Amino acid sequence: MCQQSFNQALLDFLHASPTPYHAVKNMSDILDANGFQKLLEGESWSLKSKGRYYVTRNDASIVAFCIGDHNKGMRMVGAHTDSPCLKVKPQPEITKHNYLQLGVEVYGGALLTPWFDRDLSLAGRVQYLSTDNILTSQLINFEKAIAVIPNLAIHLNREANKKHSVNPQTDIPPILFPMAKNEKVNFKDTLKQQLISQGNKDCQDVMAFDLSFYDVNRPAIIGLRDDFIASARLDNLLSTYVGLYALINHKDGDATALLVSNDHEEVGSQSATGAQGPFLKNVLERIVGTGERLTQVMSRSMLISTDNAHGIHPNYNSRHDSNHGPIINKGVVLKSNANQRYASNDETISLFTLLSQKVNAPVQHFVTRTDLGCGSTIGPLTASMLGLKTLDVGLPTFAMHSIRELAGTKDAYELVTILNEFFQLRELPF
């Protein structure tokens, strides 16, 4: 697949994946179509040499792998399925001045101001009681724009361009529609009707839900010379898709190749499905064994944690260290931090650099300014849990954690070529 075809498939994946649930469903469909066999955690596994498998947890985290020689270790790529967003509260109905609004919580470190004046839809997972009195789980997606968070006109807030703060409790509940006189709305009834319209005619009562608002504006290639990918959820479905694409195109390497994409990275990863939870370790123990055997395999293994990196913004270049300002479409970014917010070290950086040279792909370096705080990834969490060599890399991005982020049309495809070489490594040099 050429770069142009890859980018188009990436855009389609981003558009079809408004929530982690939808992302994992779409990944599962792609894996199914490429000969991977789905495993269930609650059943016994019978893994075969050269077999291709995947397993999900809570429909929002996924591990996929190609069985190789465990004595050669594992080549692992890590990412995450979640993104900052607005989640609907359990009892969300708000009525003010005859408008129906929904109360929301801010999930993760969202940049809130870009959420105003956007055409918003709603998607996620719903639990309902069927007409047979069976609890049933179903993905839901309204697809069309059903809500908006209007800005306050500048005539009513003359200081808006000088100082502007957002109160997440009072300023961001989306507006759905003006209500008729004496009209009462039960949000769960609305969900029931949507489920029925999607074909779930057995829906009797909606019991609970996990729903997020999202911008219906489609992902796009933009820029005068088509240099940019503009989309929601680039952090981190961009890396998730890159890792998935590299894995499905992996052919018969000596070592076991594995992709893990966890939910809940944006809120600390401390959950049953997050990188600080037991999901990956549970899977690894079922692949190679426990105790001493797992330790042996991990000593010959390596994880590349793939996430976004802050591209140097020409309007705000002072926010970067002058020697470490990644530029979009100038290569994959090697991320380092002396305080282990990233898990890279000299060994793993050297190996990745060597692999990139082999495929003639450029790399860049990112270190945050010493007087600024540094974010983190699943890399240090996974490294500390499993004791394996780890590298943190990213793709240069503008407006990280905005409702519309910006990355390059070249960088993701180049990362694929490097990960292909990584998966094929017969042995690690350290």
Side-chain angles (χ1 to χ4, degrees):
M1 184 184 289
C2 67
Q3 178 181 302
Q4 184 177 2
S5 298
F6 170 83
N7 282 334
Q8 185 55 57
L10 169 63
L11 296 184
D12 292 341
F13 176 77
L14 291 167
H15 176 69
S17 305
T19 73
Y21 302 117
H22 290 81
V24 168
K25 172 63 167 61
N26 293 326
M27 294 172 72
S28 298
D29 289 344
I30 294 170
L31 290 165
D32 289 338
N34 284 274
F36 284 73
Q37 177 185 339
K38 184 174 183 177
L39 303 170
L40 299 177
E41 286 195 282
E43 296 182 356
S44 297
W45 294 0
S46 180
L47 305 179
K48 299 178 181 178
S49 177
K50 306 298 183 182
R52 294 153 74 87
Y53 305 95
Y54 73 94
V55 59
T56 67
R57 180 174 285 188
N58 194 42
D59 302 325
S61 293
I62 188 168
V63 177
F65 52 96
C66 304
I67 296 290
D69 181 358
H70 301 326
N71 292 319
K72 302 288 186 181
M74 290 187 168
R75 312 293 174 259
M76 294 187 267
V77 171
H80 62 90
T81 58
D82 61 321
S83 305
C85 62
L86 304 183
K87 284 184 175 281
V88 180
K89 292 181 176 180
Q91 298 180 119
E93 298 91 346
I94 301 171
T95 56
K96 289 182 181 178
H97 301 282
N98 293 326
Y99 290 103
L100 176 70
Q101 298 173 269
L102 294 183
V104 292
E105 286 186 282
V106 179
Y107 177 86
L111 193 61
L112 290 178
T113 51
W115 281 82
F116 288 79
D117 304 325
R118 295 279 183 169
D119 302 334
L120 303 178
S121 191
L122 197 59
R125 189 175 68 177
V126 177
Q127 308 292 333
Y128 71 87
L129 188 67
S130 74
T131 51
D132 295 328
N133 291 322
I134 297 173
L135 279 176
T136 305
S137 177
Q138 180 61 45
L139 299 189
I140 193 171
N141 187 355
F142 283 80
E143 295 187 359
K144 71 172 187 176
I146 65 168
V148 66
I149 309 170
N151 255 305
L152 183 64
I154 196 168
H155 313 75
L156 304 177
N157 182 12
R158 293 292 184 181
E159 299 296 308
N161 291 327
K162 297 180 180 178
K163 53 183 179 180
H164 181 62
S165 62
V166 178
N167 185 311
Q169 173 66 22
T170 60
D171 295 348
I172 63 172
I175 299 173
L176 274 67
F177 57 80
M179 301 173 65
K181 186 177 180 179
N182 299 324
E183 182 180 7
K184 295 187 182 300
V185 177
N186 185 317
F187 181 60
K188 287 185 177 180
D189 289 340
T190 302
L191 294 180
K192 178 180 177 180
Q193 292 305 313
Q194 179 64 22
L195 285 168
I196 291 172
S197 73
Q198 290 184 190
N200 304 101
K201 312 239 180 240
D202 63 337
C203 179
Q204 180 182 175
D205 289 304
V206 170
M207 308 302 290
F209 51 81
D210 182 359
L211 302 174
S212 306
F213 280 101
Y214 71 93
D215 184 3
V216 298
N217 193 20
R218 290 185 66 97
I221 303 295
I222 68 167
L224 185 60
R225 297 178 177 176
D226 294 334
D227 288 313
F228 303 115
I229 298 171
S231 176
R233 303 176 298 281
L234 291 179
D235 181 10
N236 188 26
L237 293 187
L238 178 58
S239 298
T240 289
Y241 186 78
V242 167
L244 176 68
Y245 186 82
L247 186 69
I248 63 176
N249 287 284
H250 173 62
K251 306 295 183 186
D252 299 330
D254 285 350
T256 294
L258 181 147
L259 169 69
V260 54
S261 198
N262 293 104
D263 194 9
H264 297 148
E265 190 273 349
E266 299 292 359
V267 292
S269 295
Q270 194 168 7
S271 70
T273 57
Q276 204 167 349
F279 183 36
L280 177 58
K281 186 176 182 181
N282 291 161
V283 173
L284 293 176
E285 289 176 340
R286 298 180 77 164
I287 297 174
V288 304
T290 61
E292 184 179 44
R293 178 56 177 162
L294 180 62
T295 301
Q296 290 173 336
V297 174
M298 289 299 99
S299 72
R300 305 177 185 120
S301 301
M302 178 173 159
L303 168 74
I304 298 180
S305 168
T306 57
D307 209 331
N308 298 56
H310 295 292
I312 187 167
H313 195 308
N315 297 345
Y316 303 94
N317 59 289
S318 64
R319 307 304 287 177
H320 278 75
D321 182 284
S322 58
N323 290 334
H324 302 91
I327 297 174
I328 288 177
N329 285 329
K330 294 297 183 180
V332 180
V333 179
L334 298 162
K335 298 158 70 173
S336 304
N337 181 259
N339 295 303
Q340 293 298 296
R341 299 293 289 170
Y342 303 129
S344 308
N345 66 17
D346 54 332
E347 288 183 326
T348 57
I349 289 173
S350 297
L351 176 58
F352 190 88
T353 303
L354 190 64
L355 294 176
S356 68
Q357 292 173 349
K358 187 174 181 180
V359 296
N360 198 30
V363 296
Q364 307 179 80
H365 289 266
F366 174 77
V367 179
T368 193
R369 283 179 57 110
T370 308
D371 55 357
L372 293 178
C374 181
S376 191
T377 71
I378 69 166
L381 299 175
T382 308
S384 62
M385 180 176 295
L386 297 173
L388 80 165
K389 301 171 182 70
T390 301
L391 173 72
D392 269 294
V393 303
L395 298 175
T397 307
F398 288 156
M400 195 184 300
H401 288 198
S402 175
I403 196 171
R404 190 82 169 173
E405 299 165 319
L406 201 69
T409 52
K410 296 179 182 178
D411 296 322
Y413 191 73
E414 289 183 341
L415 179 55
V416 167
T417 64
I418 301 172
L419 294 183
N420 287 338
E421 291 296 320
F422 174 65
F423 280 147
Q424 290 296 132
L425 269 180
R426 298 187 67 182
E427 291 184 356
L428 296 178
F430 34 68

